[in-house]
PDB file of all heavy atoms in Angstrom:
ATOM      1  N   ARG X   1       0.775  -1.225   0.018  1.00  0.00           N
ATOM      2  CA  ARG X   1      -0.008  -0.026  -0.035  1.00  0.00           C
ATOM      3  C   ARG X   1       0.897   1.274  -0.126  1.00  0.00           C
ATOM      4  O   ARG X   1       0.524   2.129  -0.734  1.00  0.00           O
ATOM      5  CB  ARG X   1      -0.923   0.007   1.125  1.00  0.00           C
ATOM      6  CG  ARG X   1      -1.971  -1.032   1.177  1.00  0.00           C
ATOM      7  CD  ARG X   1      -2.689  -0.897   2.429  1.00  0.00           C
ATOM      8  NE  ARG X   1      -3.833  -2.075   2.313  1.00  0.00           N
ATOM      9  CZ  ARG X   1      -4.963  -1.938   2.889  1.00  0.00           C
ATOM     10  NH1 ARG X   1      -5.279  -0.834   3.520  1.00  0.00           N
ATOM     11  NH2 ARG X   1      -5.753  -2.905   2.721  1.00  0.00           N
ATOM     12  N   CYS X   2       1.848   1.269   0.882  1.00  0.00           N
ATOM     13  CA  CYS X   2       2.634   2.606   0.961  1.00  0.00           C
ATOM     14  C   CYS X   2       4.126   2.181   1.085  1.00  0.00           C
ATOM     15  O   CYS X   2       5.017   3.169   1.328  1.00  0.00           O
ATOM     16  CB  CYS X   2       2.216   3.258   2.346  1.00  0.00           C
ATOM     17  SG  CYS X   2       0.499   3.768   2.385  1.00  0.00           S
ATOM     18  N   THR X   3       4.588   1.015   0.842  1.00  0.00           N
ATOM     19  CA  THR X   3       5.910   0.497   1.127  1.00  0.00           C
ATOM     20  C   THR X   3       6.443  -0.260  -0.112  1.00  0.00           C
ATOM     21  O   THR X   3       5.900  -1.095  -0.410  1.00  0.00           O
ATOM     22  CB  THR X   3       5.902  -0.298   2.354  1.00  0.00           C
ATOM     23  OG1 THR X   3       5.337   0.479   3.425  1.00  0.00           O
ATOM     24  CG2 THR X   3       7.328  -0.659   2.652  1.00  0.00           C
ATOM     25  N   PRO X   4       7.682   0.202  -0.544  1.00  0.00           N
ATOM     26  CA  PRO X   4       8.373  -0.666  -1.431  1.00  0.00           C
ATOM     27  C   PRO X   4       8.997  -1.966  -0.782  1.00  0.00           C
ATOM     28  O   PRO X   4       9.351  -1.880   0.289  1.00  0.00           O
ATOM     29  CB  PRO X   4       9.567   0.278  -1.925  1.00  0.00           C
ATOM     30  CG  PRO X   4       9.885   1.099  -0.801  1.00  0.00           C
ATOM     31  CD  PRO X   4       8.410   1.339  -0.111  1.00  0.00           C
ATOM     32  N   VAL X   5       8.710  -3.044  -1.331  1.00  0.00           N
ATOM     33  CA  VAL X   5       9.008  -4.303  -0.700  1.00  0.00           C
ATOM     34  C   VAL X   5      10.234  -4.982  -1.208  1.00  0.00           C
ATOM     35  O   VAL X   5      10.235  -5.399  -2.444  1.00  0.00           O
ATOM     36  CB  VAL X   5       7.709  -5.241  -0.803  1.00  0.00           C
ATOM     37  CG1 VAL X   5       8.084  -6.674  -0.035  1.00  0.00           C
ATOM     38  CG2 VAL X   5       6.623  -4.746  -0.228  1.00  0.00           C
ATOM     39  N   TRP X   6      11.314  -4.938  -0.488  1.00  0.00           N
ATOM     40  CA  TRP X   6      12.579  -5.628  -0.818  1.00  0.00           C
ATOM     41  C   TRP X   6      12.710  -6.636   0.284  1.00  0.00           C
ATOM     42  O   TRP X   6      12.475  -6.440   1.460  1.00  0.00           O
ATOM     43  CB  TRP X   6      13.771  -4.631  -0.630  1.00  0.00           C
ATOM     44  CG  TRP X   6      13.778  -3.667  -1.757  1.00  0.00           C
ATOM     45  CD1 TRP X   6      13.200  -2.422  -1.798  1.00  0.00           C
ATOM     46  CD2 TRP X   6      14.441  -3.656  -2.996  1.00  0.00           C
ATOM     47  NE1 TRP X   6      13.417  -1.749  -3.082  1.00  0.00           N
ATOM     48  CE2 TRP X   6      14.222  -2.558  -3.758  1.00  0.00           C
ATOM     49  CE3 TRP X   6      15.186  -4.808  -3.505  1.00  0.00           C
ATOM     50  CZ2 TRP X   6      14.589  -2.397  -4.976  1.00  0.00           C
ATOM     51  CZ3 TRP X   6      15.727  -4.600  -4.859  1.00  0.00           C
ATOM     52  CH2 TRP X   6      15.444  -3.432  -5.522  1.00  0.00           C
ATOM     53  N   ALA X   7      13.023  -7.890  -0.123  1.00  0.00           N
ATOM     54  CA  ALA X   7      13.066  -8.979   0.761  1.00  0.00           C
ATOM     55  C   ALA X   7      14.224  -9.816   0.557  1.00  0.00           C
ATOM     56  O   ALA X   7      14.809  -9.858  -0.617  1.00  0.00           O
ATOM     57  CB  ALA X   7      11.816  -9.940   0.641  1.00  0.00           C
ATOM     58  N   ASN X   8      14.668 -10.574   1.459  1.00  0.00           N
ATOM     59  CA  ASN X   8      15.815 -11.544   1.565  1.00  0.00           C
ATOM     60  C   ASN X   8      15.634 -12.573   0.507  1.00  0.00           C
ATOM     61  O   ASN X   8      14.460 -13.294   0.470  1.00  0.00           O
ATOM     62  CB  ASN X   8      15.970 -12.164   2.859  1.00  0.00           C
ATOM     63  CG  ASN X   8      17.130 -13.216   3.031  1.00  0.00           C
ATOM     64  OD1 ASN X   8      16.913 -14.243   2.422  1.00  0.00           O
ATOM     65  ND2 ASN X   8      18.194 -12.805   3.559  1.00  0.00           N
ATOM     66  N   ARG X   9      16.463 -12.671  -0.538  1.00  0.00           N
ATOM     67  CA  ARG X   9      16.395 -13.503  -1.587  1.00  0.00           C
ATOM     68  C   ARG X   9      16.275 -15.116  -1.147  1.00  0.00           C
ATOM     69  O   ARG X   9      15.525 -15.807  -1.693  1.00  0.00           O
ATOM     70  CB  ARG X   9      17.545 -13.391  -2.593  1.00  0.00           C
ATOM     71  CG  ARG X   9      17.622 -14.211  -3.794  1.00  0.00           C
ATOM     72  CD  ARG X   9      18.753 -13.952  -4.696  1.00  0.00           C
ATOM     73  NE  ARG X   9      18.979 -12.659  -4.999  1.00  0.00           N
ATOM     74  CZ  ARG X   9      18.386 -11.884  -6.046  1.00  0.00           C
ATOM     75  NH1 ARG X   9      17.503 -12.453  -6.693  1.00  0.00           N
ATOM     76  NH2 ARG X   9      18.618 -10.726  -6.160  1.00  0.00           N
ATOM     77  N   ARG X  10      17.010 -15.402  -0.207  1.00  0.00           N
ATOM     78  CA  ARG X  10      16.973 -16.844   0.267  1.00  0.00           C
ATOM     79  C   ARG X  10      15.570 -17.138   0.822  1.00  0.00           C
ATOM     80  O   ARG X  10      15.099 -18.218   0.578  1.00  0.00           O
ATOM     81  CB  ARG X  10      18.143 -16.899   1.332  1.00  0.00           C
ATOM     82  CG  ARG X  10      18.401 -18.446   1.740  1.00  0.00           C
ATOM     83  CD  ARG X  10      19.504 -18.507   2.677  1.00  0.00           C
ATOM     84  NE  ARG X  10      19.974 -19.859   2.877  1.00  0.00           N
ATOM     85  CZ  ARG X  10      21.025 -20.294   3.330  1.00  0.00           C
ATOM     86  NH1 ARG X  10      22.038 -19.284   3.601  1.00  0.00           N
ATOM     87  NH2 ARG X  10      21.187 -21.522   3.518  1.00  0.00           N
ATOM     88  N   PHE X  11      15.051 -16.262   1.522  1.00  0.00           N
ATOM     89  CA  PHE X  11      13.660 -16.500   2.145  1.00  0.00           C
ATOM     90  C   PHE X  11      12.581 -16.576   0.948  1.00  0.00           C
ATOM     91  O   PHE X  11      11.831 -17.409   0.920  1.00  0.00           O
ATOM     92  CB  PHE X  11      13.339 -15.285   3.013  1.00  0.00           C
ATOM     93  CG  PHE X  11      11.852 -15.426   3.627  1.00  0.00           C
ATOM     94  CD1 PHE X  11      11.668 -16.367   4.610  1.00  0.00           C
ATOM     95  CD2 PHE X  11      10.899 -14.701   3.188  1.00  0.00           C
ATOM     96  CE1 PHE X  11      10.385 -16.459   5.253  1.00  0.00           C
ATOM     97  CE2 PHE X  11       9.582 -14.770   3.679  1.00  0.00           C
ATOM     98  CZ  PHE X  11       9.330 -15.635   4.726  1.00  0.00           C
ATOM     99  N   VAL X  12      12.720 -15.590  -0.065  1.00  0.00           N
ATOM    100  CA  VAL X  12      11.688 -15.482  -1.124  1.00  0.00           C
ATOM    101  C   VAL X  12      11.806 -16.891  -2.004  1.00  0.00           C
ATOM    102  O   VAL X  12      10.843 -17.372  -2.426  1.00  0.00           O
ATOM    103  CB  VAL X  12      11.869 -14.388  -2.072  1.00  0.00           C
ATOM    104  CG1 VAL X  12      11.197 -14.362  -3.291  1.00  0.00           C
ATOM    105  CG2 VAL X  12      11.680 -13.044  -1.228  1.00  0.00           C
ATOM    106  N   GLU X  13      12.994 -17.410  -2.125  1.00  0.00           N
ATOM    107  CA  GLU X  13      13.173 -18.528  -2.961  1.00  0.00           C
ATOM    108  C   GLU X  13      13.054 -19.909  -2.290  1.00  0.00           C
ATOM    109  O   GLU X  13      13.104 -20.858  -2.864  1.00  0.00           O
ATOM    110  CB  GLU X  13      14.711 -18.423  -3.652  1.00  0.00           C
ATOM    111  CG  GLU X  13      14.742 -17.337  -4.673  1.00  0.00           C
ATOM    112  CD  GLU X  13      16.119 -17.133  -5.187  1.00  0.00           C
ATOM    113  OE1 GLU X  13      17.083 -17.899  -4.720  1.00  0.00           O
ATOM    114  OE2 GLU X  13      16.321 -16.222  -6.072  1.00  0.00           O
ATOM    115  N   ALA X  14      12.775 -19.817  -1.037  1.00  0.00           N
ATOM    116  CA  ALA X  14      12.736 -21.122  -0.201  1.00  0.00           C
ATOM    117  C   ALA X  14      11.457 -21.682  -0.647  1.00  0.00           C
ATOM    118  O   ALA X  14      10.442 -21.105  -1.057  1.00  0.00           O
ATOM    119  CB  ALA X  14      12.608 -20.702   1.359  1.00  0.00           C
ATOM    120  N   ASP X  15      11.361 -23.049  -0.400  1.00  0.00           N
ATOM    121  CA  ASP X  15      10.238 -23.797  -0.644  1.00  0.00           C
ATOM    122  C   ASP X  15       9.015 -23.594   0.352  1.00  0.00           C
ATOM    123  O   ASP X  15       7.943 -23.798   0.089  1.00  0.00           O
ATOM    124  CB  ASP X  15      10.502 -25.358  -0.688  1.00  0.00           C
ATOM    125  CG  ASP X  15      11.419 -25.816  -1.808  1.00  0.00           C
ATOM    126  OD1 ASP X  15      11.376 -25.041  -2.953  1.00  0.00           O
ATOM    127  OD2 ASP X  15      12.235 -26.599  -1.693  1.00  0.00           O
ATOM    128  N   LEU X  16       9.501 -23.364   1.547  1.00  0.00           N
ATOM    129  CA  LEU X  16       8.400 -23.078   2.577  1.00  0.00           C
ATOM    130  C   LEU X  16       8.881 -21.844   3.457  1.00  0.00           C
ATOM    131  O   LEU X  16      10.071 -21.823   3.903  1.00  0.00           O
ATOM    132  CB  LEU X  16       8.394 -24.349   3.539  1.00  0.00           C
ATOM    133  CG  LEU X  16       7.458 -24.275   4.723  1.00  0.00           C
ATOM    134  CD1 LEU X  16       6.054 -24.113   4.228  1.00  0.00           C
ATOM    135  CD2 LEU X  16       7.541 -25.548   5.550  1.00  0.00           C
ATOM    136  N   ARG X  17       8.070 -20.963   3.623  1.00  0.00           N
ATOM    137  CA  ARG X  17       8.429 -19.577   4.190  1.00  0.00           C
ATOM    138  C   ARG X  17       7.616 -19.440   5.515  1.00  0.00           C
ATOM    139  O   ARG X  17       6.321 -19.151   5.485  1.00  0.00           O
ATOM    140  CB  ARG X  17       8.229 -18.520   3.307  1.00  0.00           C
ATOM    141  CG  ARG X  17       9.228 -18.533   2.141  1.00  0.00           C
ATOM    142  CD  ARG X  17       8.792 -17.459   1.078  1.00  0.00           C
ATOM    143  NE  ARG X  17       7.490 -17.876   0.453  1.00  0.00           N
ATOM    144  CZ  ARG X  17       7.356 -18.866  -0.448  1.00  0.00           C
ATOM    145  NH1 ARG X  17       8.448 -19.523  -0.797  1.00  0.00           N
ATOM    146  NH2 ARG X  17       6.120 -19.178  -1.041  1.00  0.00           N
ATOM    147  N   ILE X  18       8.200 -19.706   6.737  1.00  0.00           N
ATOM    148  CA  ILE X  18       7.548 -19.715   7.998  1.00  0.00           C
ATOM    149  C   ILE X  18       8.244 -18.575   8.762  1.00  0.00           C
ATOM    150  O   ILE X  18       9.420 -18.334   8.836  1.00  0.00           O
ATOM    151  CB  ILE X  18       7.839 -20.990   8.795  1.00  0.00           C
ATOM    152  CG1 ILE X  18       7.148 -22.129   7.957  1.00  0.00           C
ATOM    153  CG2 ILE X  18       7.051 -20.909  10.124  1.00  0.00           C
ATOM    154  CD1 ILE X  18       7.337 -23.524   8.490  1.00  0.00           C
ATOM    155  N   VAL X  19       7.471 -17.801   9.450  1.00  0.00           N
ATOM    156  CA  VAL X  19       7.929 -16.643  10.408  1.00  0.00           C
ATOM    157  C   VAL X  19       7.373 -17.068  11.720  1.00  0.00           C
ATOM    158  O   VAL X  19       6.287 -17.613  11.977  1.00  0.00           O
ATOM    159  CB  VAL X  19       7.413 -15.288   9.861  1.00  0.00           C
ATOM    160  CG1 VAL X  19       8.069 -14.932   8.660  1.00  0.00           C
ATOM    161  CG2 VAL X  19       5.861 -15.137   9.740  1.00  0.00           C
ATOM    162  N   VAL X  20       8.196 -16.723  12.683  1.00  0.00           N
ATOM    163  CA  VAL X  20       7.837 -16.973  14.120  1.00  0.00           C
ATOM    164  C   VAL X  20       7.955 -15.617  14.965  1.00  0.00           C
ATOM    165  O   VAL X  20       8.951 -14.905  14.806  1.00  0.00           O
ATOM    166  CB  VAL X  20       8.895 -18.083  14.712  1.00  0.00           C
ATOM    167  CG1 VAL X  20       8.679 -18.481  16.060  1.00  0.00           C
ATOM    168  CG2 VAL X  20       8.834 -19.403  13.788  1.00  0.00           C
ATOM    169  N   GLY X  21       7.023 -15.640  15.812  1.00  0.00           N
ATOM    170  CA  GLY X  21       6.991 -14.371  16.702  1.00  0.00           C
ATOM    171  C   GLY X  21       5.989 -14.527  17.866  1.00  0.00           C
ATOM    172  O   GLY X  21       5.573 -15.622  18.242  1.00  0.00           O
ATOM    173  N   ASP X  22       5.643 -13.346  18.320  1.00  0.00           N
ATOM    174  CA  ASP X  22       4.494 -13.344  19.393  1.00  0.00           C
ATOM    175  C   ASP X  22       3.588 -12.160  19.046  1.00  0.00           C
ATOM    176  O   ASP X  22       3.771 -11.393  18.223  1.00  0.00           O
ATOM    177  CB  ASP X  22       5.257 -13.064  20.634  1.00  0.00           C
ATOM    178  CG  ASP X  22       5.849 -11.695  20.898  1.00  0.00           C
ATOM    179  OD1 ASP X  22       6.164 -11.110  20.001  1.00  0.00           O
ATOM    180  OD2 ASP X  22       5.876 -11.320  22.110  1.00  0.00           O
ATOM    181  N   ILE X  23       2.410 -12.437  19.700  1.00  0.00           N
ATOM    182  CA  ILE X  23       1.435 -11.408  19.447  1.00  0.00           C
ATOM    183  C   ILE X  23       1.160 -10.671  20.837  1.00  0.00           C
ATOM    184  O   ILE X  23       0.970 -11.200  21.852  1.00  0.00           O
ATOM    185  CB  ILE X  23       0.010 -12.065  19.016  1.00  0.00           C
ATOM    186  CG1 ILE X  23       0.186 -12.797  17.810  1.00  0.00           C
ATOM    187  CG2 ILE X  23      -1.054 -10.835  18.894  1.00  0.00           C
ATOM    188  CD1 ILE X  23      -1.035 -13.740  17.436  1.00  0.00           C
ATOM    189  N   GLU X  24       1.400  -9.249  20.768  1.00  0.00           N
ATOM    190  CA  GLU X  24       1.240  -8.350  21.860  1.00  0.00           C
ATOM    191  C   GLU X  24       0.862  -7.024  21.308  1.00  0.00           C
ATOM    192  O   GLU X  24       0.964  -6.792  20.068  1.00  0.00           O
ATOM    193  CB  GLU X  24       2.433  -8.297  22.691  1.00  0.00           C
ATOM    194  CG  GLU X  24       3.665  -7.675  21.945  1.00  0.00           C
ATOM    195  CD  GLU X  24       4.920  -7.563  22.866  1.00  0.00           C
ATOM    196  OE1 GLU X  24       4.893  -8.119  23.929  1.00  0.00           O
ATOM    197  OE2 GLU X  24       5.817  -7.062  22.294  1.00  0.00           O
ATOM    198  N   PRO X  25       0.296  -6.254  22.169  1.00  0.00           N
ATOM    199  CA  PRO X  25       0.064  -4.830  21.714  1.00  0.00           C
ATOM    200  C   PRO X  25       1.256  -4.193  21.127  1.00  0.00           C
ATOM    201  O   PRO X  25       2.317  -4.307  21.741  1.00  0.00           O
ATOM    202  CB  PRO X  25      -0.530  -4.199  22.980  1.00  0.00           C
ATOM    203  CG  PRO X  25      -0.911  -5.186  23.834  1.00  0.00           C
ATOM    204  CD  PRO X  25      -0.019  -6.382  23.502  1.00  0.00           C
ATOM    205  N   HIS X  26       1.113  -3.327  20.027  1.00  0.00           N
ATOM    206  CA  HIS X  26       2.294  -2.761  19.359  1.00  0.00           C
ATOM    207  C   HIS X  26       1.931  -1.311  19.296  1.00  0.00           C
ATOM    208  O   HIS X  26       0.725  -0.914  18.831  1.00  0.00           O
ATOM    209  CB  HIS X  26       2.581  -3.332  18.098  1.00  0.00           C
ATOM    210  CG  HIS X  26       3.724  -2.819  17.429  1.00  0.00           C
ATOM    211  ND1 HIS X  26       3.828  -1.655  16.751  1.00  0.00           N
ATOM    212  CD2 HIS X  26       5.061  -3.321  17.346  1.00  0.00           C
ATOM    213  CE1 HIS X  26       4.972  -1.382  16.260  1.00  0.00           C
ATOM    214  NE2 HIS X  26       5.837  -2.346  16.538  1.00  0.00           N
ATOM    215  N   GLN X  27       2.871  -0.356  19.565  1.00  0.00           N
ATOM    216  CA  GLN X  27       2.592   0.925  19.705  1.00  0.00           C
ATOM    217  C   GLN X  27       1.969   1.681  18.472  1.00  0.00           C
ATOM    218  O   GLN X  27       1.259   2.678  18.600  1.00  0.00           O
ATOM    219  CB  GLN X  27       3.795   1.780  20.193  1.00  0.00           C
ATOM    220  CG  GLN X  27       4.972   1.888  19.370  1.00  0.00           C
ATOM    221  CD  GLN X  27       5.954   0.482  19.406  1.00  0.00           C
ATOM    222  OE1 GLN X  27       5.520  -0.479  19.896  1.00  0.00           O
ATOM    223  NE2 GLN X  27       7.166   0.803  19.402  1.00  0.00           N
ATOM    224  N   PHE X  28       2.392   1.286  17.251  1.00  0.00           N
ATOM    225  CA  PHE X  28       1.705   1.832  16.026  1.00  0.00           C
ATOM    226  C   PHE X  28       1.231   0.774  15.101  1.00  0.00           C
ATOM    227  O   PHE X  28       0.412   1.185  14.173  1.00  0.00           O
ATOM    228  CB  PHE X  28       2.627   2.778  15.312  1.00  0.00           C
ATOM    229  CG  PHE X  28       4.023   2.258  14.945  1.00  0.00           C
ATOM    230  CD1 PHE X  28       4.040   1.620  13.658  1.00  0.00           C
ATOM    231  CD2 PHE X  28       5.154   2.452  15.734  1.00  0.00           C
ATOM    232  CE1 PHE X  28       5.411   1.079  13.231  1.00  0.00           C
ATOM    233  CE2 PHE X  28       6.307   1.835  15.313  1.00  0.00           C
ATOM    234  CZ  PHE X  28       6.356   1.319  13.929  1.00  0.00           C
ATOM    235  N   GLN X  29       1.578  -0.509  15.199  1.00  0.00           N
ATOM    236  CA  GLN X  29       0.986  -1.543  14.420  1.00  0.00           C
ATOM    237  C   GLN X  29      -0.399  -2.088  14.912  1.00  0.00           C
ATOM    238  O   GLN X  29      -1.049  -2.883  14.276  1.00  0.00           O
ATOM    239  CB  GLN X  29       1.972  -2.726  14.204  1.00  0.00           C
ATOM    240  CG  GLN X  29       3.270  -2.406  13.505  1.00  0.00           C
ATOM    241  CD  GLN X  29       2.944  -2.378  12.016  1.00  0.00           C
ATOM    242  OE1 GLN X  29       2.021  -3.028  11.500  1.00  0.00           O
ATOM    243  NE2 GLN X  29       3.931  -1.647  11.218  1.00  0.00           N
ATOM    244  N   GLY X  30      -0.679  -1.596  16.152  1.00  0.00           N
ATOM    245  CA  GLY X  30      -1.949  -2.225  16.615  1.00  0.00           C
ATOM    246  C   GLY X  30      -1.517  -3.451  17.551  1.00  0.00           C
ATOM    247  O   GLY X  30      -1.726  -3.397  18.659  1.00  0.00           O
ATOM    248  N   PHE X  31      -0.916  -4.343  16.917  1.00  0.00           N
ATOM    249  CA  PHE X  31      -0.504  -5.562  17.478  1.00  0.00           C
ATOM    250  C   PHE X  31       0.636  -6.127  16.788  1.00  0.00           C
ATOM    251  O   PHE X  31       0.720  -5.975  15.398  1.00  0.00           O
ATOM    252  CB  PHE X  31      -1.653  -6.681  17.493  1.00  0.00           C
ATOM    253  CG  PHE X  31      -2.667  -6.414  18.406  1.00  0.00           C
ATOM    254  CD1 PHE X  31      -3.755  -5.605  18.002  1.00  0.00           C
ATOM    255  CD2 PHE X  31      -2.692  -6.789  19.766  1.00  0.00           C
ATOM    256  CE1 PHE X  31      -4.844  -5.422  18.809  1.00  0.00           C
ATOM    257  CE2 PHE X  31      -3.690  -6.494  20.605  1.00  0.00           C
ATOM    258  CZ  PHE X  31      -4.765  -5.814  20.290  1.00  0.00           C
ATOM    259  N   SER X  32       1.615  -6.710  17.415  1.00  0.00           N
ATOM    260  CA  SER X  32       2.580  -7.478  16.652  1.00  0.00           C
ATOM    261  C   SER X  32       2.223  -8.784  16.285  1.00  0.00           C
ATOM    262  O   SER X  32       1.128  -9.168  16.366  1.00  0.00           O
ATOM    263  CB  SER X  32       3.886  -7.640  17.636  1.00  0.00           C
ATOM    264  OG  SER X  32       3.472  -8.370  18.722  1.00  0.00           O
ATOM    265  N   GLY X  33       3.177  -9.575  15.698  1.00  0.00           N
ATOM    266  CA  GLY X  33       2.811 -10.962  15.221  1.00  0.00           C
ATOM    267  C   GLY X  33       2.309 -11.097  13.838  1.00  0.00           C
ATOM    268  O   GLY X  33       2.263 -10.163  13.020  1.00  0.00           O
ATOM    269  N   GLY X  34       1.849 -12.239  13.535  1.00  0.00           N
ATOM    270  CA  GLY X  34       1.448 -12.572  12.173  1.00  0.00           C
ATOM    271  C   GLY X  34       2.636 -12.342  11.192  1.00  0.00           C
ATOM    272  O   GLY X  34       3.788 -12.623  11.454  1.00  0.00           O
ATOM    273  N   VAL X  35       2.186 -11.724   9.928  1.00  0.00           N
ATOM    274  CA  VAL X  35       3.249 -11.660   8.921  1.00  0.00           C
ATOM    275  C   VAL X  35       4.167 -10.410   9.244  1.00  0.00           C
ATOM    276  O   VAL X  35       5.125 -10.233   8.471  1.00  0.00           O
ATOM    277  CB  VAL X  35       2.523 -11.442   7.511  1.00  0.00           C
ATOM    278  CG1 VAL X  35       1.832 -12.635   7.152  1.00  0.00           C
ATOM    279  CG2 VAL X  35       1.656 -10.186   7.554  1.00  0.00           C
ATOM    280  N   LYS X  36       3.885  -9.537  10.266  1.00  0.00           N
ATOM    281  CA  LYS X  36       4.748  -8.508  10.738  1.00  0.00           C
ATOM    282  C   LYS X  36       6.190  -8.908  10.893  1.00  0.00           C
ATOM    283  O   LYS X  36       7.122  -8.306  10.533  1.00  0.00           O
ATOM    284  CB  LYS X  36       4.288  -7.759  11.893  1.00  0.00           C
ATOM    285  CG  LYS X  36       5.133  -6.699  12.444  1.00  0.00           C
ATOM    286  CD  LYS X  36       4.724  -6.093  13.590  1.00  0.00           C
ATOM    287  CE  LYS X  36       5.592  -5.008  14.097  1.00  0.00           C
ATOM    288  NZ  LYS X  36       6.967  -5.332  14.325  1.00  0.00           N
ATOM    289  N   THR X  37       6.395 -10.152  11.332  1.00  0.00           N
ATOM    290  CA  THR X  37       7.596 -10.677  11.633  1.00  0.00           C
ATOM    291  C   THR X  37       8.483 -10.857  10.349  1.00  0.00           C
ATOM    292  O   THR X  37       9.729 -10.765  10.348  1.00  0.00           O
ATOM    293  CB  THR X  37       7.559 -12.206  12.253  1.00  0.00           C
ATOM    294  OG1 THR X  37       6.598 -12.146  13.334  1.00  0.00           O
ATOM    295  CG2 THR X  37       8.893 -12.651  12.685  1.00  0.00           C
ATOM    296  N   ALA X  38       7.880 -10.849   9.165  1.00  0.00           N
ATOM    297  CA  ALA X  38       8.579 -10.998   7.914  1.00  0.00           C
ATOM    298  C   ALA X  38       9.308  -9.688   7.672  1.00  0.00           C
ATOM    299  O   ALA X  38      10.337  -9.701   6.895  1.00  0.00           O
ATOM    300  CB  ALA X  38       7.653 -11.161   6.778  1.00  0.00           C
ATOM    301  N   ILE X  39       8.903  -8.602   8.320  1.00  0.00           N
ATOM    302  CA  ILE X  39       9.806  -7.314   8.181  1.00  0.00           C
ATOM    303  C   ILE X  39      11.171  -7.547   8.674  1.00  0.00           C
ATOM    304  O   ILE X  39      12.158  -6.904   8.121  1.00  0.00           O
ATOM    305  CB  ILE X  39       9.157  -6.170   9.082  1.00  0.00           C
ATOM    306  CG1 ILE X  39       7.788  -5.764   8.553  1.00  0.00           C
ATOM    307  CG2 ILE X  39      10.093  -4.991   9.135  1.00  0.00           C
ATOM    308  CD1 ILE X  39       7.680  -5.033   7.285  1.00  0.00           C
ATOM    309  N   GLY X  40      11.477  -8.515   9.481  1.00  0.00           N
ATOM    310  CA  GLY X  40      12.868  -8.830   9.799  1.00  0.00           C
ATOM    311  C   GLY X  40      13.635  -9.447   8.771  1.00  0.00           C
ATOM    312  O   GLY X  40      14.829  -9.559   8.898  1.00  0.00           O
ATOM    313  N   LEU X  41      13.106  -9.822   7.576  1.00  0.00           N
ATOM    314  CA  LEU X  41      13.775 -10.460   6.511  1.00  0.00           C
ATOM    315  C   LEU X  41      13.623  -9.387   5.289  1.00  0.00           C
ATOM    316  O   LEU X  41      13.803  -9.715   4.187  1.00  0.00           O
ATOM    317  CB  LEU X  41      13.156 -11.625   5.990  1.00  0.00           C
ATOM    318  CG  LEU X  41      13.342 -12.766   7.115  1.00  0.00           C
ATOM    319  CD1 LEU X  41      12.240 -13.928   6.964  1.00  0.00           C
ATOM    320  CD2 LEU X  41      14.802 -13.214   6.951  1.00  0.00           C
ATOM    321  N   ALA X  42      13.299  -8.086   5.474  1.00  0.00           N
ATOM    322  CA  ALA X  42      13.193  -7.084   4.436  1.00  0.00           C
ATOM    323  C   ALA X  42      14.410  -6.193   4.335  1.00  0.00           C
ATOM    324  O   ALA X  42      15.247  -6.145   5.152  1.00  0.00           O
ATOM    325  CB  ALA X  42      11.944  -6.231   4.816  1.00  0.00           C
ATOM    326  N   GLY X  43      14.414  -5.425   3.331  1.00  0.00           N
ATOM    327  CA  GLY X  43      15.464  -4.531   3.016  1.00  0.00           C
ATOM    328  C   GLY X  43      15.219  -3.339   3.830  1.00  0.00           C
ATOM    329  O   GLY X  43      14.074  -2.987   4.302  1.00  0.00           O
ATOM    330  N   LYS X  44      16.275  -2.465   3.891  1.00  0.00           N
ATOM    331  CA  LYS X  44      16.223  -1.156   4.694  1.00  0.00           C
ATOM    332  C   LYS X  44      15.119  -0.254   4.071  1.00  0.00           C
ATOM    333  O   LYS X  44      14.466   0.385   4.897  1.00  0.00           O
ATOM    334  CB  LYS X  44      17.612  -0.559   4.572  1.00  0.00           C
ATOM    335  CG  LYS X  44      17.679   0.636   5.491  1.00  0.00           C
ATOM    336  CD  LYS X  44      19.185   1.086   5.565  1.00  0.00           C
ATOM    337  CE  LYS X  44      19.345   2.304   6.753  1.00  0.00           C
ATOM    338  NZ  LYS X  44      20.698   2.701   6.709  1.00  0.00           N
ATOM    339  N   ALA X  45      14.931  -0.189   2.855  1.00  0.00           N
ATOM    340  CA  ALA X  45      13.767   0.698   2.353  1.00  0.00           C
ATOM    341  C   ALA X  45      12.463   0.429   2.811  1.00  0.00           C
ATOM    342  O   ALA X  45      11.697   1.194   3.138  1.00  0.00           O
ATOM    343  CB  ALA X  45      13.827   0.696   0.821  1.00  0.00           C
TER     344      ALA X  45
END
């Protein structure tokens, strides 16, 4: 919607892409968890 998406090539090319995290209140995302963890595999932009 508002973000250019750059991602880790190894993750993108993997046969299975699983992210792990926790769900808790988050100051501007509303809540953490879910696919938000994938940001940890994103590019700086």
Side-chain angles (χ1 to χ4, degrees):
R1 292 174 180 219
C2 301
T3 302
V5 181
W6 290 89
N8 179 283
R9 183 179 307 278
R10 190 172 187 162
F11 179 77
V12 170
E13 293 174 354
D15 293 330
L16 182 62
R17 290 166 299 279
I18 300 172
V19 294
V20 178
D22 68 334
I23 302 173
E24 64 180 4
H26 186 278
Q27 65 272 31
F28 59 85
Q29 290 283 337
F31 289 88
S32 65
V35 296
K36 179 186 176 301
T37 311
I39 293 286
L41 293 161
K44 191 172 181 178

